[in-house]
Amino acid sequence: MPNTSTSLSTSAPCPIPKTQLLLHLIPIIGFFPSLWTLYRGQGSREQLAISRLSITLALTWLLGYLLLATGAATSDFFGLRLFILNSFLTSGYFLVSLWLILRLIQGKSGRLPGFTTLAERVLGKYLS
């Protein structure tokens, strides 16, 4: 009978951290587990970086969404243009999140050149 303890010890690492990283990058929903991870301050360096990036993306999208929606509601001339721009912003947020999820599944880095630096500077001070 084969020894199961040695076959378990040679298996791949537990996929839970990768699954958690993917959960953090789900648009809008991933904001809450990311905030909880940063609030506790526990997790790997990659998990904290992905959490900072997720929160930065979500807050940037929310701020842009609110500003564009407010501008569209108060403007008579640019209303339709601002609503279209708002839909592009929302689509971009979802596509970037999906792209980051696919990169993590492929085993590549989950960094976004401008936003990762911004997230580390801003959120690194307050939530880590």
Side-chain angles (χ1 to χ4, degrees):
M1 178 169 234
N3 188 354
T4 57
S5 64
T6 52
S7 65
L8 290 176
S9 64
T10 59
S11 66
C14 185
I16 293 173
K18 190 173 187 178
T19 307
Q20 286 178 351
L21 290 178
L22 296 176
L23 176 69
H24 290 283
L25 288 173
I26 295 174
I28 301 169
I29 297 169
F31 174 82
F32 300 105
S34 295
L35 190 62
W36 181 251
T37 299
L38 288 179
Y39 176 73
R40 287 184 309 145
Q42 297 174 349
S44 67
R45 188 182 336 168
E46 185 182 15
Q47 191 174 9
L48 293 173
I50 291 291
S51 295
R52 281 190 219 105
L53 179 63
S54 173
I55 289 173
T56 303
L57 283 172
L59 290 178
T60 303
W61 167 77
L62 184 63
L63 179 66
Y65 183 88
L66 291 175
L67 289 175
L68 288 171
T70 302
T74 58
S75 174
D76 292 330
F77 183 68
F78 292 112
L80 180 61
R81 289 176 180 90
L82 291 176
F83 276 130
I84 291 171
L85 193 58
N86 200 351
S87 68
F88 284 149
L89 177 70
T90 301
S91 298
Y93 169 56
F94 276 74
L95 287 174
V96 165
S97 295
L98 181 65
W99 179 70
L100 286 170
I101 288 171
L102 290 175
R103 284 184 55 89
L104 281 179
I105 289 173
Q106 293 172 351
K108 297 180 181 175
S109 172
R111 294 182 56 85
L112 210 58
F115 278 98
T116 302
T117 311
L118 177 70
E120 305 240 343
R121 263 190 311 166
V122 175
L123 294 178
K125 289 185 224 177
Y126 303 111
L127 292 176
S128 291

